[in-house]
Amino acid sequence: MRLQGLEILTMVPGAEILHGDLRIEDRRITGVGDLDPVPGETVQDFTGHTVTPGFVQGHLHLCQTLFRNLAEDLPLLPWLEKRIWPLEAAHDEESLRISARLALTELIRGGCTTFQSMETTKGTEFAFDEVLQSGLRGILGNALMDAGVGSLPPGLCLSTSRSLDLSAKLSTDWDGREGRLHYAWSPRFLLTCTEELLREVARASRESGQRIHTHAAEHTAEVARVRQEHGKSYLRALEDLELLGPRSSLAHCVHLEDHEVDLLESTGTSVLHCPTTNLKLGSGIAPVVDYLRRGIPVALGPDGAPANNRLCSLTEMRQAALLQHLRSGPGAFSARDALDMATRGGARALGLMDACGTIEVGKAADLAIFDLRDPILGTTSGPYEKLVYSAERCHLRSVMAGGRFVLEDGVVMVPSLESKTLSENAESTLQKLLRRASL
């Protein structure tokens, strides 16, 4: 297949904007630029359109999408204890599948083709199955919680052995499926995990080569509780438990001391930046420009729908750029920087640079195709500025994941995500979940 007539933002460092075609064979990119026609090949005309790599979302929670708009106006710890954890504890197979389908539909409509998600403590196999059917690339893990902040709902906190057994089975059953599903060991955060569990996670990751995905230093109250319970800073505690390193990614990292930033740099640990959620929960602004200047890998993420309330890469790129202008000054973080974080930078932070994040020969054919000719986006600005500061989801025309269109002319093409059925099922499923949660 050849896609012709494109403005191509490859996101390869130092590369210029290209104009020409893309050739797709066996789910991968085999040609970029000025390509000669091949007799008999399928051609799709995208003259005047702009293509980027499919967006990479570093941190979200598929299982929370059904809870959108149900946890408003609370800081982090009460938000978790009063709303999110009771809702997660009430999940069953039906609600977990519907929640994942809602999230996957929204991700596709926003140009995302790769993501990392932390699920709840049980039922992650249902989320894996929905991602398998969607065609997207996902790194998933069940949240590990064998200790509690306050009083956890019944059934959410599992024993150490049960948590580890579930994780091992998920890893065996799903890691590596179709080359696009991966398992990550996902302790929720320090305040919900015993030291025994965390040391076992470090050992399992080290032996398997699988990733570690957790939260860290999101809110000042959380940071204070960690220091009180562990007697040390957040990242020092993680380092002592052998949870830092190039396979580890930490969501948020809003409130770090100088020596903790040194630890990020020296260990190669990645940061998962969630600017909108950090604003909504009143957590603060992560010093992303400082991290990037020190070579620390950073991905963008929306976090869960109740904390955002969107799962859109365009929203997070714009928010990230504006907040870094406020924190570090105009010009410190450009539109191209924001797009890089949502594509190549995200792939780097998740250890997926060999698979995705740039448009070049050999990479997976994961693409987001926009029509930026709308005059309301400006007639003289460049494509980076249009995408980051002005474009909306209505300007996204098509999305390709692994060489297959999952969005065409604005219509989701995945059978399991048929919109009418999803709409009919979501409300009734939510009402049953709310009754189970007594909320």
Side-chain angles (χ1 to χ4, degrees), residues 133-155:
Q133 295 180 62
S134 75
L136 302 189
R137 177 182 292 100
I139 304 173
L140 280 72
N142 53 313
L144 301 173
M145 303 171 69
D146 67 340
V149 178
S151 177
L152 287 173

Side-chain angles (χ1 to χ4, degrees), residues 123-396:
T124 300
E125 63 272 20
F126 307 128
F128 263 118
D129 186 53
E130 294 298 332
V131 179
L132 181 68
Q133 295 180 62
S134 75
L136 302 189
R137 177 182 292 100
I139 304 173
L140 280 72
N142 53 313
L144 301 173
M145 303 171 69
D146 67 340
V149 178
S151 177
L152 287 173
L156 191 65
C157 182
L158 305 181
S159 69
T160 304
S161 60
R162 178 65 173 149
S163 296
L164 293 170
D165 287 347
L166 284 174
S167 300
K169 180 167 174 51
L170 287 166
S171 174
T172 299
D173 291 348
W174 292 99
D175 190 62
R177 288 280 288 271
E178 293 195 1
R180 58 183 175 85
L181 298 185
H182 306 281
Y183 182 77
W185 296 83
S186 305
R188 191 143 205 163
F189 66 143
L190 281 176
L191 298 177
T192 60
C193 300
T194 63
E195 182 174 327
E196 178 188 0
L197 175 67
L198 294 170
R199 291 197 181 280
E200 281 299 304
V201 166
R203 180 196 60 78
S205 171
R206 184 170 57 250
E207 292 180 359
S208 67
Q210 293 164 339
R211 298 194 64 78
I212 295 172
H213 177 201
T214 190
H215 300 83
E218 180 176 358
H219 193 275
T220 53
E222 169 208 7
V223 170
R225 289 277 289 274
V226 167
R227 183 169 286 280
Q228 179 183 17
E229 293 188 12
H230 289 264
K232 61 190 76 170
S233 67
Y234 214 122
L235 264 62
R236 184 68 70 193
L238 290 174
E239 183 198 34
D240 289 349
L241 292 162
E242 302 182 90
L243 292 171
L244 300 183
R247 292 187 305 278
S248 296
S249 51
L250 310 180
H252 305 300
C253 292
V254 177
H255 301 285
L256 297 184
E257 300 174 28
D258 289 345
H259 77 274
E260 293 179 285
V261 181
D262 292 340
L263 283 173
L264 286 176
E265 182 179 5
S266 63
T267 60
T269 302
S270 298
V271 171
L272 311 173
H273 178 42
C274 305
T276 302
T277 283
N278 295 157
L279 287 180
K280 186 178 180 188
L281 298 183
S283 299
I285 305 172
V288 166
V289 168
D290 297 341
Y291 296 158
L292 293 174
R293 285 172 177 166
R294 296 180 65 161
I296 295 165
V298 183
L300 273 177
D303 210 336
N308 190 305
N309 302 45
R310 303 178 181 178
L311 305 179
C312 181
S313 295
L314 293 171
T315 297
E316 298 313 305
M317 283 194 292
R318 187 175 195 273
Q319 200 79 277
L322 296 179
L323 287 175
Q324 293 310 305
H325 291 177
L326 176 64
R327 196 180 194 284
S328 300
F333 189 80
S334 69
R336 195 187 193 288
D337 292 333
L339 184 58
D340 183 86
M341 189 180 290
T343 54
R344 187 192 67 87
R348 178 185 175 218
L350 299 184
L352 294 172
M353 275 294 290
D354 289 342
C356 61
T358 56
I359 296 175
E360 53 187 321
V361 171
K363 291 289 183 75
D366 295 348
L367 307 169
I369 302 172
F370 293 85
D371 188 348
L372 301 180
R373 295 172 292 181
D374 186 340
I376 70 169
L377 300 180
T379 57
T380 59
S381 55
Y384 300 112
E385 291 73 22
K386 287 182 179 182
L387 280 167
V388 172
Y389 294 124
S390 305
E392 300 183 59
R393 283 185 290 194
C394 63
H395 298 106
L396 178 65

Side-chain angles (χ1 to χ4, degrees), residues 399-410:
V399 176
M400 179 176 278
R404 180 169 69 93
F405 281 108
V406 293
L407 185 82
E408 279 194 280
D409 294 324

Side-chain angles (χ1 to χ4, degrees), residues 10-16 336:
T10 67
M11 302 315 295
V12 174
E16 299 293 327
R336 195 187 193 288

Side-chain angles (χ1 to χ4, degrees), residues 34-54:
D34 187 11
L35 305 179
D36 294 328
V38 172
E41 71 179 344
T42 301
V43 178
Q44 293 210 21
D45 185 27
F46 286 100
T47 298
H49 289 65
T50 300
V51 62
T52 73

